[in-house]
Amino acid sequence: MTEQTTKALPPVVDQQTWQAALDELRIREKAATRELDAIAAQRRRLPMVELPDYTLIGPGGPVRLVDVFDGRSQLIVYHHMWSDGAEWQCGGCTGLTSQWARLGFLEPYDARFVIVTNGPIEEALAYKTKVGNKMDWYSSSESSFGADVDAPPGGEFGVNVFLRDGDKVYRTWHTTGRGTEQLSYTFALIDTLPWGRQEEWQDSPDGWPKSPTYSKWLDSPDVARLYGPNGDAVAGTGGKSS
């Protein structure tokens, strides 16, 4: 449990005043929801570009990109940042992908979600086990796939979405940076809290707790401690077992 380091609190009001303030906020929340619906509608109308017949490396060896779909028509790829030989990989990537532990809900949508990294497959699979990652991993270390879809070796993380039509694969959408937040439930939950993310850049009332950006994020060793083979996270709480 984190010790409270501030006495700053929201003002205390009566129920009617609180409800009026919530109703005022709800107008903006509903508008944002409708805007997200409109953005998704525009995304569904994006054109697409055909890709070459890339070969990746999976746990069993070389695998064509078209076969990574595993018979499905749609594929989401998270491109995990990678430094060959490093003990710990990108903390943001490691923490973000640790939350995607149950992906069966994509099956009725004819879709699959996997990780692709530019690192060697042996290192990638060892790291997956080390940090307790539950996703399926592939390597693009022996092809130009990562570089061609804006996730080159030594570059940033990103998300790409692909569509398969028979043996042809098309690229339909891409994002990086804070664009990946929409795929995460962690920030959505934290943003509902009275103190929010507590990062220096955020607009918060005077006296609210502030921390350097990223300082409260789980780093890779934290993820391994919690969710790795010897992890001490308690199911459903994210806390330590006693």
Side-chain angles (χ1 to χ4, degrees):
M1 182 176 180
T2 303
E3 182 180 353
Q4 183 173 330
T5 58
T6 179
K7 295 297 184 182
L9 299 171
V12 178
V13 296
D14 59 60
Q15 172 69 25
Q16 184 176 2
T17 302
W18 175 83
Q19 187 63 57
L22 180 63
D23 291 343
E24 182 179 359
L25 174 63
R26 185 76 75 234
I27 294 172
R28 297 188 66 182
E29 291 176 336
K30 291 296 185 182
T33 297
R34 289 190 290 272
E35 177 62 14
L36 288 173
D37 287 342
I39 290 171
Q42 184 175 350
R43 186 181 295 118
R44 289 191 293 272
R45 289 168 172 78
L46 284 174
M48 60 186 184
V49 59
E50 185 176 353
L51 298 182
D53 186 15
Y54 291 107
T55 296
L56 306 181
I57 310 297
V63 55
R64 295 171 64 203
L65 176 61
V66 68
D67 293 325
V68 174
F69 284 74
D70 196 24
R72 299 174 180 85
S73 298
Q74 302 171 104
L75 178 70
I76 306 168
V77 169
Y78 183 90
H79 299 271
H80 199 296
M81 293 174 64
W82 196 266
S83 297
D84 288 354
E87 178 182 7
W88 299 106
Q89 300 297 334
C90 169
C93 292
T94 303
L96 184 66
T97 58
S98 70
Q99 68 185 275
W100 296 316
R102 298 180 179 178
L103 295 171
F105 70 90
L106 287 172
E107 293 181 6
Y109 294 90
D110 195 19
R112 189 183 185 203
F113 187 13
V114 303
I115 289 175
V116 174
T117 182
N118 291 303
I121 190 62
E122 296 81 6
E123 287 189 25
L125 294 178
Y127 189 72
K128 161 187 162 76
T129 299
K130 182 178 180 179
V131 298
N133 189 282
K134 302 299 183 183
M135 297 180 68
D136 294 321
W137 287 56
Y138 295 85
S139 169
S140 55
S141 61
E142 298 182 21
S143 80
S144 63
F145 173 70
D148 293 347
V149 294
D150 298 303
E156 295 296 316
F157 63 93
V159 172
N160 274 288
V161 178
F162 306 98
L163 181 67
R164 181 182 67 85
D165 183 20
D167 274 350
K168 293 184 177 181
V169 174
Y170 302 88
R171 187 186 187 197
T172 65
W173 185 72
H174 168 261
T175 193
T176 188
R178 293 193 64 196
T180 62
E181 285 188 11
Q182 64 185 289
L183 309 180
S184 164
Y185 69 80
T186 55
F187 291 120
L189 285 175
I190 295 168
D191 283 342
T192 68
L193 299 173
W195 289 336
R197 303 186 198 184
Q198 304 174 38
E199 296 194 353
E200 292 172 329
W201 62 272
Q202 290 197 295
D203 180 4
S204 297
D206 292 340
W208 253 229
K210 291 282 190 176
S211 302
T213 303
Y214 311 128
S215 63
K216 291 188 178 297
W217 292 23
L218 291 181
D219 203 355
S220 301
D222 302 315
V223 175
R225 173 179 56 81
L226 289 169
Y227 306 112
N230 300 313
D232 55 13
V234 177
T237 67
K240 294 182 179 180
S241 56
S242 56

